[in-house]
Short mmCIF file of all heavy atoms in Angstrom, two decimals:
data_model
loop_
_atom_site.label_atom_id
_atom_site.label_comp_id
_atom_site.label_asym_id
_atom_site.label_seq_id
_atom_site.Cartn_x
_atom_site.Cartn_y
_atom_site.Cartn_z
N MET M 1339 111.70 102.38 70.67
CA MET M 1339 110.72 102.44 69.61
C MET M 1339 111.41 102.79 68.30
O MET M 1339 112.41 103.51 68.30
CB MET M 1339 109.66 103.49 69.91
CG MET M 1339 108.71 103.14 71.01
SD MET M 1339 107.39 104.37 71.10
CE MET M 1339 106.99 104.23 72.82
N GLN M 1340 110.85 102.31 67.23
CA GLN M 1340 111.38 102.59 65.90
C GLN M 1340 111.06 104.03 65.49
O GLN M 1340 110.07 104.61 65.94
CB GLN M 1340 110.78 101.62 64.88
CG GLN M 1340 111.02 100.16 65.19
CD GLN M 1340 112.49 99.81 65.07
OE1 GLN M 1340 113.20 100.30 64.20
NE2 GLN M 1340 112.96 98.94 65.95
N GLU M 1341 111.88 104.60 64.60
CA GLU M 1341 111.67 105.97 64.13
C GLU M 1341 110.30 106.14 63.48
O GLU M 1341 109.63 107.16 63.68
CB GLU M 1341 112.77 106.38 63.16
CG GLU M 1341 114.09 106.67 63.82
CD GLU M 1341 115.14 107.15 62.84
OE1 GLU M 1341 114.78 107.86 61.87
OE2 GLU M 1341 116.31 106.81 63.03
N THR M 1342 109.86 105.16 62.70
CA THR M 1342 108.56 105.26 62.03
C THR M 1342 107.42 105.25 63.05
O THR M 1342 106.44 105.97 62.88
CB THR M 1342 108.36 104.12 61.02
OG1 THR M 1342 108.54 102.85 61.68
CG2 THR M 1342 109.33 104.21 59.86
N GLU M 1343 107.59 104.48 64.09
CA GLU M 1343 106.59 104.40 65.16
C GLU M 1343 106.51 105.74 65.91
O GLU M 1343 105.42 106.25 66.19
CB GLU M 1343 107.00 103.28 66.11
CG GLU M 1343 106.03 102.91 67.14
CD GLU M 1343 106.51 101.67 67.92
OE1 GLU M 1343 107.73 101.40 67.97
OE2 GLU M 1343 105.65 101.01 68.47
N ILE M 1344 107.67 106.32 66.20
CA ILE M 1344 107.73 107.61 66.88
C ILE M 1344 107.07 108.69 66.02
O ILE M 1344 106.32 109.53 66.52
CB ILE M 1344 109.19 107.97 67.23
CG1 ILE M 1344 109.66 107.06 68.39
CG2 ILE M 1344 109.33 109.44 67.60
CD1 ILE M 1344 111.13 107.18 68.71
N ALA M 1345 107.33 108.67 64.71
CA ALA M 1345 106.73 109.65 63.81
C ALA M 1345 105.21 109.54 63.79
O ALA M 1345 104.50 110.56 63.80
CB ALA M 1345 107.30 109.48 62.40
N LYS M 1346 104.68 108.32 63.79
CA LYS M 1346 103.23 108.12 63.81
C LYS M 1346 102.62 108.63 65.11
O LYS M 1346 101.56 109.26 65.11
CB LYS M 1346 102.89 106.64 63.64
CG LYS M 1346 103.10 106.12 62.25
CD LYS M 1346 102.77 104.64 62.19
CE LYS M 1346 103.08 104.04 60.85
NZ LYS M 1346 102.77 102.60 60.81
N LEU M 1347 103.28 108.34 66.22
CA LEU M 1347 102.79 108.80 67.52
C LEU M 1347 102.83 110.33 67.62
O LEU M 1347 101.90 110.95 68.13
CB LEU M 1347 103.62 108.18 68.65
CG LEU M 1347 103.39 106.69 68.87
CD1 LEU M 1347 104.51 106.10 69.70
CD2 LEU M 1347 102.04 106.46 69.53
N GLN M 1348 103.89 110.94 67.10
CA GLN M 1348 104.00 112.39 67.11
C GLN M 1348 102.88 113.02 66.29
O GLN M 1348 102.24 113.97 66.74
CB GLN M 1348 105.37 112.82 66.56
CG GLN M 1348 105.54 114.32 66.52
CD GLN M 1348 106.94 114.70 66.15
OE1 GLN M 1348 107.83 114.64 66.99
NE2 GLN M 1348 107.14 115.12 64.90
N LEU M 1349 102.62 112.49 65.11
CA LEU M 1349 101.55 113.01 64.27
C LEU M 1349 100.20 112.87 64.98
O LEU M 1349 99.40 113.81 65.00
CB LEU M 1349 101.52 112.28 62.93
CG LEU M 1349 100.47 112.73 61.94
CD1 LEU M 1349 100.63 114.21 61.60
CD2 LEU M 1349 100.55 111.87 60.68
N TYR M 1350 99.96 111.72 65.57
CA TYR M 1350 98.71 111.50 66.31
C TYR M 1350 98.53 112.52 67.44
O TYR M 1350 97.48 113.13 67.57
CB TYR M 1350 98.67 110.07 66.86
CG TYR M 1350 97.49 109.85 67.78
CD1 TYR M 1350 96.23 109.57 67.25
CD2 TYR M 1350 97.61 109.96 69.16
CE1 TYR M 1350 95.13 109.39 68.08
CE2 TYR M 1350 96.52 109.80 69.99
CZ TYR M 1350 95.29 109.51 69.45
OH TYR M 1350 94.21 109.35 70.28
N LEU M 1351 99.57 112.70 68.26
CA LEU M 1351 99.48 113.61 69.41
C LEU M 1351 99.35 115.06 68.97
O LEU M 1351 98.60 115.84 69.57
CB LEU M 1351 100.68 113.43 70.33
CG LEU M 1351 100.72 112.11 71.11
CD1 LEU M 1351 102.05 111.97 71.85
CD2 LEU M 1351 99.56 111.99 72.07
N ARG M 1352 100.07 115.45 67.91
CA ARG M 1352 99.94 116.82 67.39
C ARG M 1352 98.51 117.09 66.95
O ARG M 1352 97.96 118.16 67.23
CB ARG M 1352 100.88 117.03 66.22
CG ARG M 1352 102.32 117.25 66.63
CD ARG M 1352 103.21 117.48 65.44
NE ARG M 1352 104.55 117.85 65.86
CZ ARG M 1352 105.53 118.10 65.02
NH1 ARG M 1352 105.34 118.04 63.71
NH2 ARG M 1352 106.72 118.43 65.48
N ARG M 1353 97.91 116.14 66.27
CA ARG M 1353 96.52 116.31 65.83
C ARG M 1353 95.55 116.29 67.01
O ARG M 1353 94.63 117.10 67.08
CB ARG M 1353 96.15 115.22 64.83
CG ARG M 1353 96.81 115.40 63.49
CD ARG M 1353 96.45 114.29 62.54
NE ARG M 1353 97.04 114.51 61.23
CZ ARG M 1353 97.05 113.61 60.27
NH1 ARG M 1353 96.50 112.41 60.47
NH2 ARG M 1353 97.60 113.88 59.10
N ARG M 1354 95.75 115.37 67.93
CA ARG M 1354 94.86 115.21 69.07
C ARG M 1354 94.86 116.46 69.95
O ARG M 1354 93.82 116.90 70.43
CB ARG M 1354 95.27 113.98 69.88
CG ARG M 1354 94.51 113.72 71.16
CD ARG M 1354 93.05 113.50 70.99
NE ARG M 1354 92.76 112.43 70.05
CZ ARG M 1354 91.57 112.19 69.54
NH1 ARG M 1354 90.55 112.93 69.89
NH2 ARG M 1354 91.39 111.22 68.70
N PHE M 1355 96.05 117.02 70.20
CA PHE M 1355 96.17 118.18 71.08
C PHE M 1355 96.27 119.50 70.31
O PHE M 1355 96.45 120.56 70.92
CB PHE M 1355 97.37 118.03 72.02
CG PHE M 1355 97.20 116.89 72.99
CD1 PHE M 1355 98.01 115.77 72.91
CD2 PHE M 1355 96.23 116.93 73.96
CE1 PHE M 1355 97.86 114.71 73.79
CE2 PHE M 1355 96.07 115.88 74.87
CZ PHE M 1355 96.88 114.77 74.77
N ASN M 1356 96.18 119.43 68.99
CA ASN M 1356 96.21 120.61 68.13
C ASN M 1356 97.43 121.49 68.46
O ASN M 1356 97.31 122.69 68.72
CB ASN M 1356 94.91 121.41 68.27
CG ASN M 1356 94.77 122.45 67.18
OD1 ASN M 1356 95.29 122.27 66.08
ND2 ASN M 1356 94.08 123.53 67.48
N ASP M 1357 98.61 120.88 68.47
CA ASP M 1357 99.83 121.59 68.84
C ASP M 1357 101.01 121.08 68.00
O ASP M 1357 101.52 119.99 68.24
CB ASP M 1357 100.12 121.41 70.32
CG ASP M 1357 101.20 122.34 70.83
OD1 ASP M 1357 102.00 122.86 70.02
OD2 ASP M 1357 101.26 122.55 72.05
N GLU M 1358 101.44 121.89 67.05
CA GLU M 1358 102.56 121.52 66.18
C GLU M 1358 103.90 121.60 66.90
O GLU M 1358 104.91 121.12 66.38
CB GLU M 1358 102.59 122.42 64.93
CG GLU M 1358 101.46 122.13 63.97
CD GLU M 1358 101.52 120.73 63.38
OE1 GLU M 1358 102.61 120.29 62.97
OE2 GLU M 1358 100.47 120.06 63.35
N ASN M 1359 103.93 122.19 68.10
CA ASN M 1359 105.17 122.27 68.88
C ASN M 1359 105.44 121.00 69.67
O ASN M 1359 106.49 120.88 70.30
CB ASN M 1359 105.13 123.47 69.83
CG ASN M 1359 105.14 124.78 69.10
OD1 ASN M 1359 105.90 124.95 68.15
ND2 ASN M 1359 104.29 125.69 69.51
N LEU M 1360 104.50 120.08 69.67
CA LEU M 1360 104.65 118.82 70.40
C LEU M 1360 105.59 117.90 69.61
O LEU M 1360 105.47 117.78 68.40
CB LEU M 1360 103.29 118.16 70.56
CG LEU M 1360 103.24 116.97 71.50
CD1 LEU M 1360 101.92 116.97 72.24
CD2 LEU M 1360 103.44 115.69 70.76
N SER M 1361 106.53 117.29 70.32
CA SER M 1361 107.44 116.34 69.66
C SER M 1361 107.62 115.10 70.51
O SER M 1361 107.53 115.14 71.74
CB SER M 1361 108.80 116.98 69.38
OG SER M 1361 109.45 117.35 70.57
N VAL M 1362 107.82 113.99 69.83
CA VAL M 1362 108.10 112.71 70.49
C VAL M 1362 109.53 112.34 70.13
O VAL M 1362 109.90 112.34 68.95
CB VAL M 1362 107.11 111.62 70.03
CG1 VAL M 1362 107.44 110.29 70.70
CG2 VAL M 1362 105.67 112.03 70.34
N ARG M 1363 110.33 112.05 71.13
CA ARG M 1363 111.77 111.80 70.93
C ARG M 1363 112.16 110.46 71.54
O ARG M 1363 111.70 110.10 72.63
CB ARG M 1363 112.60 112.90 71.58
CG ARG M 1363 112.22 114.29 71.11
CD ARG M 1363 112.99 115.36 71.85
NE ARG M 1363 112.45 116.69 71.58
CZ ARG M 1363 112.88 117.79 72.16
NH1 ARG M 1363 113.85 117.73 73.06
NH2 ARG M 1363 112.33 118.95 71.85
N ALA M 1364 113.04 109.78 70.85
CA ALA M 1364 113.56 108.49 71.34
C ALA M 1364 114.30 108.71 72.65
O ALA M 1364 114.88 109.78 72.89
CB ALA M 1364 114.49 107.87 70.31
N ARG M 1365 114.28 107.69 73.49
CA ARG M 1365 115.02 107.72 74.76
C ARG M 1365 116.30 106.91 74.58
O ARG M 1365 116.29 105.84 73.98
CB ARG M 1365 114.20 107.12 75.89
CG ARG M 1365 112.95 107.90 76.20
CD ARG M 1365 112.14 107.23 77.27
NE ARG M 1365 112.75 107.45 78.58
CZ ARG M 1365 112.36 106.82 79.68
NH1 ARG M 1365 111.40 105.93 79.65
NH2 ARG M 1365 112.94 107.09 80.83
N ALA M 1366 117.38 107.41 75.13
CA ALA M 1366 118.66 106.70 75.06
C ALA M 1366 118.56 105.37 75.80
O ALA M 1366 118.04 105.31 76.92
CB ALA M 1366 119.77 107.56 75.66
N ASN M 1367 119.02 104.32 75.16
CA ASN M 1367 119.08 102.98 75.74
C ASN M 1367 117.72 102.41 76.16
O ASN M 1367 117.65 101.51 77.00
CB ASN M 1367 120.02 102.95 76.95
CG ASN M 1367 121.41 103.42 76.59
OD1 ASN M 1367 121.94 103.05 75.54
ND2 ASN M 1367 122.00 104.25 77.42
N LYS M 1368 116.62 102.93 75.61
CA LYS M 1368 115.28 102.40 75.90
C LYS M 1368 114.57 102.14 74.58
O LYS M 1368 114.54 103.01 73.72
CB LYS M 1368 114.45 103.41 76.71
CG LYS M 1368 115.05 103.83 78.02
CD LYS M 1368 114.82 102.80 79.07
CE LYS M 1368 115.37 103.30 80.40
NZ LYS M 1368 115.18 102.37 81.47
N ASP M 1369 114.00 100.96 74.42
CA ASP M 1369 113.27 100.67 73.18
C ASP M 1369 111.78 100.46 73.42
O ASP M 1369 111.03 100.19 72.50
CB ASP M 1369 113.87 99.48 72.45
CG ASP M 1369 113.80 98.20 73.27
OD1 ASP M 1369 113.34 98.23 74.42
OD2 ASP M 1369 114.22 97.16 72.74
N ASP M 1370 111.34 100.66 74.66
CA ASP M 1370 109.93 100.46 74.99
C ASP M 1370 109.21 101.76 75.33
O ASP M 1370 108.06 101.76 75.76
CB ASP M 1370 109.78 99.50 76.16
CG ASP M 1370 110.34 100.04 77.46
OD1 ASP M 1370 111.14 101.00 77.42
OD2 ASP M 1370 109.99 99.51 78.53
N SER M 1371 109.90 102.90 75.14
CA SER M 1371 109.29 104.18 75.51
C SER M 1371 109.93 105.33 74.74
O SER M 1371 110.99 105.18 74.13
CB SER M 1371 109.43 104.42 77.02
OG SER M 1371 110.79 104.38 77.41
N ALA M 1372 109.27 106.49 74.79
CA ALA M 1372 109.77 107.71 74.17
C ALA M 1372 109.35 108.90 75.02
O ALA M 1372 108.40 108.81 75.79
CB ALA M 1372 109.21 107.85 72.75
N GLU M 1373 110.08 110.00 74.89
CA GLU M 1373 109.78 111.20 75.66
C GLU M 1373 108.91 112.14 74.83
O GLU M 1373 109.06 112.24 73.62
CB GLU M 1373 111.07 111.91 76.06
CG GLU M 1373 111.92 111.08 76.99
CD GLU M 1373 113.23 111.75 77.36
OE1 GLU M 1373 113.66 112.69 76.66
OE2 GLU M 1373 113.82 111.33 78.36
N VAL M 1374 108.03 112.88 75.51
CA VAL M 1374 107.14 113.83 74.85
C VAL M 1374 107.49 115.23 75.34
O VAL M 1374 107.66 115.46 76.54
CB VAL M 1374 105.65 113.51 75.15
CG1 VAL M 1374 104.74 114.51 74.46
CG2 VAL M 1374 105.32 112.09 74.72
N TYR M 1375 107.61 116.16 74.39
CA TYR M 1375 107.97 117.55 74.68
C TYR M 1375 106.97 118.49 74.01
O TYR M 1375 106.42 118.18 72.96
CB TYR M 1375 109.35 117.88 74.11
CG TYR M 1375 110.51 117.23 74.83
CD1 TYR M 1375 110.83 115.90 74.59
CD2 TYR M 1375 111.27 117.94 75.74
CE1 TYR M 1375 111.90 115.30 75.25
CE2 TYR M 1375 112.34 117.36 76.40
CZ TYR M 1375 112.64 116.03 76.15
OH TYR M 1375 113.70 115.44 76.80
N ILE M 1376 106.80 119.65 74.62
CA ILE M 1376 106.16 120.79 73.96
C ILE M 1376 107.25 121.85 73.90
O ILE M 1376 107.70 122.34 74.94
CB ILE M 1376 104.92 121.30 74.70
CG1 ILE M 1376 103.82 120.22 74.66
CG2 ILE M 1376 104.42 122.60 74.06
CD1 ILE M 1376 102.55 120.59 75.38
N GLY M 1377 107.69 122.13 72.70
CA GLY M 1377 108.88 122.98 72.55
C GLY M 1377 110.06 122.26 73.16
O GLY M 1377 110.31 121.09 72.86
N ASP M 1378 110.76 122.93 74.06
CA ASP M 1378 111.90 122.31 74.76
C ASP M 1378 111.53 121.77 76.13
O ASP M 1378 112.39 121.28 76.86
CB ASP M 1378 113.04 123.32 74.91
CG ASP M 1378 113.69 123.65 73.58
OD1 ASP M 1378 113.72 122.77 72.70
OD2 ASP M 1378 114.17 124.79 73.43
N GLU M 1379 110.24 121.86 76.50
CA GLU M 1379 109.82 121.43 77.83
C GLU M 1379 109.35 119.97 77.82
O GLU M 1379 108.40 119.61 77.11
CB GLU M 1379 108.68 122.32 78.34
CG GLU M 1379 108.25 121.96 79.74
CD GLU M 1379 107.15 122.86 80.27
OE1 GLU M 1379 106.72 123.78 79.58
OE2 GLU M 1379 106.72 122.60 81.42
N PHE M 1380 110.01 119.16 78.60
CA PHE M 1380 109.63 117.75 78.77
C PHE M 1380 108.29 117.70 79.50
O PHE M 1380 108.12 118.34 80.55
CB PHE M 1380 110.71 117.01 79.57
CG PHE M 1380 110.31 115.63 79.99
CD1 PHE M 1380 110.37 114.59 79.09
CD2 PHE M 1380 109.87 115.39 81.28
CE1 PHE M 1380 110.01 113.31 79.49
CE2 PHE M 1380 109.51 114.12 81.68
CZ PHE M 1380 109.58 113.08 80.78
N ILE M 1381 107.32 116.96 78.94
CA ILE M 1381 106.01 116.88 79.61
C ILE M 1381 105.62 115.47 80.01
O ILE M 1381 104.70 115.29 80.80
CB ILE M 1381 104.89 117.51 78.77
CG1 ILE M 1381 104.70 116.78 77.45
CG2 ILE M 1381 105.13 119.00 78.58
CD1 ILE M 1381 103.39 117.10 76.77
N GLY M 1382 106.28 114.43 79.46
CA GLY M 1382 105.89 113.09 79.86
C GLY M 1382 106.58 112.01 79.05
O GLY M 1382 107.43 112.28 78.21
N VAL M 1383 106.16 110.78 79.32
CA VAL M 1383 106.75 109.61 78.67
C VAL M 1383 105.63 108.76 78.06
O VAL M 1383 104.58 108.57 78.66
CB VAL M 1383 107.55 108.75 79.68
CG1 VAL M 1383 108.12 107.51 79.02
CG2 VAL M 1383 108.65 109.57 80.32
N LEU M 1384 105.88 108.27 76.85
CA LEU M 1384 104.99 107.31 76.19
C LEU M 1384 105.60 105.93 76.35
O LEU M 1384 106.77 105.71 75.99
CB LEU M 1384 104.92 107.61 74.69
CG LEU M 1384 103.85 108.52 74.19
CD1 LEU M 1384 104.08 108.83 72.72
CD2 LEU M 1384 102.48 107.92 74.38
N PHE M 1385 104.84 105.01 76.91
CA PHE M 1385 105.30 103.63 77.07
C PHE M 1385 104.57 102.73 76.08
O PHE M 1385 103.37 102.87 75.88
CB PHE M 1385 105.03 103.13 78.50
CG PHE M 1385 105.84 103.84 79.54
CD1 PHE M 1385 105.31 104.90 80.24
CD2 PHE M 1385 107.14 103.44 79.80
CE1 PHE M 1385 106.05 105.57 81.21
CE2 PHE M 1385 107.89 104.09 80.77
CZ PHE M 1385 107.34 105.16 81.47
N LYS M 1386 105.31 101.83 75.49
CA LYS M 1386 104.73 100.86 74.56
C LYS M 1386 104.45 99.56 75.30
O LYS M 1386 105.28 99.07 76.06
CB LYS M 1386 105.72 100.60 73.42
CG LYS M 1386 105.22 99.61 72.40
CD LYS M 1386 106.26 99.44 71.28
CE LYS M 1386 105.78 98.47 70.24
NZ LYS M 1386 106.74 98.36 69.14
N ASP M 1387 103.26 99.01 75.08
CA ASP M 1387 102.87 97.75 75.71
C ASP M 1387 102.46 96.77 74.62
O ASP M 1387 101.59 97.07 73.81
CB ASP M 1387 101.71 97.99 76.68
CG ASP M 1387 101.31 96.73 77.40
OD1 ASP M 1387 102.21 95.94 77.76
OD2 ASP M 1387 100.10 96.51 77.61
N GLU M 1388 103.11 95.63 74.60
CA GLU M 1388 102.77 94.57 73.66
C GLU M 1388 102.26 93.37 74.45
O GLU M 1388 102.96 92.85 75.30
CB GLU M 1388 103.98 94.16 72.82
CG GLU M 1388 104.47 95.27 71.90
CD GLU M 1388 105.65 94.83 71.07
OE1 GLU M 1388 105.46 94.01 70.16
OE2 GLU M 1388 106.76 95.32 71.36
N ASP M 1389 101.01 92.96 74.17
CA ASP M 1389 100.40 91.85 74.89
C ASP M 1389 99.60 91.00 73.92
O ASP M 1389 98.66 91.50 73.29
CB ASP M 1389 99.51 92.39 76.01
CG ASP M 1389 98.95 91.29 76.90
OD1 ASP M 1389 99.60 90.24 77.05
OD2 ASP M 1389 97.85 91.49 77.46
N GLU M 1390 99.98 89.75 73.80
CA GLU M 1390 99.28 88.79 72.94
C GLU M 1390 99.11 89.31 71.51
O GLU M 1390 98.05 89.21 70.91
CB GLU M 1390 97.94 88.40 73.54
CG GLU M 1390 98.06 87.69 74.87
CD GLU M 1390 96.73 87.28 75.46
OE1 GLU M 1390 95.71 87.37 74.76
OE2 GLU M 1390 96.73 86.85 76.62
N GLY M 1391 100.17 89.93 70.99
CA GLY M 1391 100.16 90.41 69.62
C GLY M 1391 99.51 91.76 69.40
O GLY M 1391 99.51 92.28 68.29
N GLU M 1392 98.94 92.35 70.44
CA GLU M 1392 98.33 93.67 70.33
C GLU M 1392 99.24 94.71 70.96
O GLU M 1392 99.87 94.47 71.98
CB GLU M 1392 96.96 93.70 71.01
CG GLU M 1392 95.94 92.82 70.31
CD GLU M 1392 94.54 93.01 70.84
OE1 GLU M 1392 94.31 93.99 71.59
OE2 GLU M 1392 93.69 92.20 70.50
N VAL M 1393 99.28 95.88 70.33
CA VAL M 1393 100.15 96.97 70.80
C VAL M 1393 99.28 98.13 71.26
O VAL M 1393 98.31 98.50 70.61
CB VAL M 1393 101.09 97.44 69.66
CG1 VAL M 1393 101.94 98.62 70.13
CG2 VAL M 1393 101.98 96.30 69.19
N SER M 1394 99.63 98.69 72.41
CA SER M 1394 98.98 99.91 72.90
C SER M 1394 100.06 100.81 73.48
O SER M 1394 101.20 100.40 73.71
CB SER M 1394 97.91 99.59 73.94
OG SER M 1394 98.50 99.02 75.09
N TYR M 1395 99.68 102.07 73.73
CA TYR M 1395 100.63 103.05 74.26
C TYR M 1395 100.00 103.74 75.45
O TYR M 1395 98.80 104.02 75.47
CB TYR M 1395 100.98 104.10 73.19
CG TYR M 1395 101.59 103.47 71.96
CD1 TYR M 1395 100.79 103.08 70.90
CD2 TYR M 1395 102.95 103.23 71.89
CE1 TYR M 1395 101.33 102.48 69.78
CE2 TYR M 1395 103.51 102.64 70.77
CZ TYR M 1395 102.69 102.26 69.72
OH TYR M 1395 103.23 101.65 68.62
N ASP M 1396 100.81 104.03 76.45
CA ASP M 1396 100.35 104.70 77.67
C ASP M 1396 101.16 105.99 77.81
O ASP M 1396 102.39 105.96 77.85
CB ASP M 1396 100.58 103.79 78.88
CG ASP M 1396 100.18 104.44 80.17
OD1 ASP M 1396 99.10 105.06 80.21
OD2 ASP M 1396 100.95 104.35 81.14
N PHE M 1397 100.46 107.12 77.88
CA PHE M 1397 101.11 108.42 78.06
C PHE M 1397 101.05 108.77 79.53
O PHE M 1397 99.98 108.87 80.12
CB PHE M 1397 100.41 109.49 77.21
CG PHE M 1397 100.99 110.86 77.40
CD1 PHE M 1397 102.33 111.11 77.22
CD2 PHE M 1397 100.17 111.92 77.74
CE1 PHE M 1397 102.87 112.37 77.39
CE2 PHE M 1397 100.68 113.20 77.92
CZ PHE M 1397 102.04 113.42 77.73
N ASN M 1398 102.22 108.97 80.14
CA ASN M 1398 102.33 109.28 81.56
C ASN M 1398 102.87 110.70 81.72
O ASN M 1398 103.98 110.98 81.30
CB ASN M 1398 103.26 108.27 82.23
CG ASN M 1398 103.29 108.42 83.72
OD1 ASN M 1398 103.12 109.49 84.26
ND2 ASN M 1398 103.53 107.32 84.40
N MET M 1399 102.06 111.56 82.35
CA MET M 1399 102.45 112.96 82.56
C MET M 1399 102.27 113.31 84.03
O MET M 1399 101.16 113.26 84.56
CB MET M 1399 101.58 113.88 81.70
CG MET M 1399 101.87 115.33 81.86
SD MET M 1399 100.80 116.27 80.75
CE MET M 1399 101.12 117.92 81.32
N ALA M 1400 103.35 113.64 84.69
CA ALA M 1400 103.29 114.06 86.09
C ALA M 1400 103.01 115.55 86.16
O ALA M 1400 103.56 116.34 85.39
CB ALA M 1400 104.60 113.75 86.80
N ILE M 1401 102.10 115.95 87.05
CA ILE M 1401 101.78 117.36 87.25
C ILE M 1401 102.09 117.70 88.71
O ILE M 1401 101.49 117.13 89.62
CB ILE M 1401 100.30 117.65 86.94
CG1 ILE M 1401 99.98 117.26 85.50
CG2 ILE M 1401 99.98 119.11 87.20
CD1 ILE M 1401 98.50 117.26 85.17
N LEU M 1402 103.03 118.61 88.89
CA LEU M 1402 103.40 119.00 90.24
C LEU M 1402 102.42 120.04 90.77
O LEU M 1402 101.97 120.92 90.04
CB LEU M 1402 104.82 119.59 90.24
CG LEU M 1402 105.93 118.67 89.73
CD1 LEU M 1402 107.24 119.43 89.69
CD2 LEU M 1402 106.03 117.42 90.57
N GLU M 1403 102.10 119.94 92.04
CA GLU M 1403 101.16 120.87 92.65
C GLU M 1403 101.64 122.31 92.51
O GLU M 1403 100.83 123.22 92.29
CB GLU M 1403 100.95 120.52 94.13
CG GLU M 1403 99.93 121.40 94.80
CD GLU M 1403 99.69 121.02 96.25
OE1 GLU M 1403 100.51 120.31 96.85
OE2 GLU M 1403 98.65 121.45 96.78
N ILE M 1404 102.96 122.54 92.60
CA ILE M 1404 103.48 123.90 92.50
C ILE M 1404 103.27 124.50 91.11
O ILE M 1404 103.32 125.72 90.96
CB ILE M 1404 104.98 123.97 92.90
CG1 ILE M 1404 105.83 123.14 91.96
CG2 ILE M 1404 105.17 123.55 94.34
CD1 ILE M 1404 107.33 123.34 92.14
N ASP M 1405 103.04 123.66 90.11
CA ASP M 1405 102.80 124.14 88.75
C ASP M 1405 101.35 124.51 88.47
O ASP M 1405 101.03 125.12 87.45
CB ASP M 1405 103.24 123.09 87.72
CG ASP M 1405 104.75 122.91 87.69
OD1 ASP M 1405 105.47 123.87 88.04
OD2 ASP M 1405 105.20 121.80 87.33
N LEU M 1406 100.46 124.15 89.39
CA LEU M 1406 99.03 124.45 89.20
C LEU M 1406 98.74 125.93 89.45
O LEU M 1406 99.41 126.55 90.28
CB LEU M 1406 98.19 123.58 90.14
CG LEU M 1406 98.24 122.09 89.90
CD1 LEU M 1406 97.47 121.36 91.00
CD2 LEU M 1406 97.69 121.74 88.53
N PRO M 1407 97.73 126.47 88.77
CA PRO M 1407 97.37 127.88 89.01
C PRO M 1407 96.90 128.08 90.44
O PRO M 1407 96.29 127.19 91.05
CB PRO M 1407 96.22 128.14 88.03
CG PRO M 1407 96.09 126.94 87.18
CD PRO M 1407 96.89 125.84 87.76
N LYS M 1408 97.19 129.23 90.97
CA LYS M 1408 96.73 129.57 92.33
C LYS M 1408 95.25 129.90 92.30
O LYS M 1408 94.75 130.42 91.34
CB LYS M 1408 97.50 130.80 92.85
CG LYS M 1408 99.00 130.65 92.82
CD LYS M 1408 99.50 129.82 93.97
CE LYS M 1408 101.02 129.85 94.00
NZ LYS M 1408 101.63 128.58 93.80
N GLY M 1409 94.58 129.59 93.37
CA GLY M 1409 93.21 130.04 93.50
C GLY M 1409 92.21 128.99 93.39
O GLY M 1409 91.09 128.98 93.41
#
């Protein structure tokens, strides 16, 4: 993804989740996705999808059962 595209996505996600610590970072050797972090913690991947001239993004976040609160 282009730097300007990453900046727009980061601004959108920061506003949507009300978290200025959220960052979107380019992935090495990948131009169709970017990594999402809160602080230094990796939380997921944003994938870019282009179909018939339209662009959309898919945010994929894995949640491990061991990370869930007990109870």
Side-chain angles (χ1 to χ4, degrees):
M1339 289 187 207
Q1340 302 293 323
E1341 285 183 35
T1342 55
E1343 189 174 24
I1344 288 172
K1346 287 179 185 179
L1347 289 163
Q1348 179 173 282
L1349 181 59
Y1350 172 82
L1351 290 172
R1352 283 181 173 180
R1353 288 179 177 170
R1354 176 61 55 192
F1355 294 113
N1356 193 29
D1357 192 340
E1358 289 296 316
N1359 293 316
L1360 190 144
S1361 63
V1362 179
R1363 305 176 191 175
R1365 296 177 76 190
N1367 303 317
K1368 302 280 183 180
D1369 61 357
D1370 66 342
S1371 57
E1373 296 178 342
V1374 180
Y1375 289 79
I1376 294 179
D1378 290 330
E1379 183 178 359
F1380 171 79
I1381 62 164
V1383 178
L1384 268 172
F1385 292 97
K1386 180 178 181 177
D1387 183 38
E1388 295 181 71
D1389 186 28
E1390 296 181 10
E1392 294 189 12
V1393 177
S1394 65
Y1395 301 92
D1396 178 45
F1397 177 55
N1398 187 330
M1399 178 178 171
I1401 302 169
L1402 302 175
E1403 183 178 17
I1404 63 170
D1405 291 334
L1406 296 174
K1408 305 282 187 243

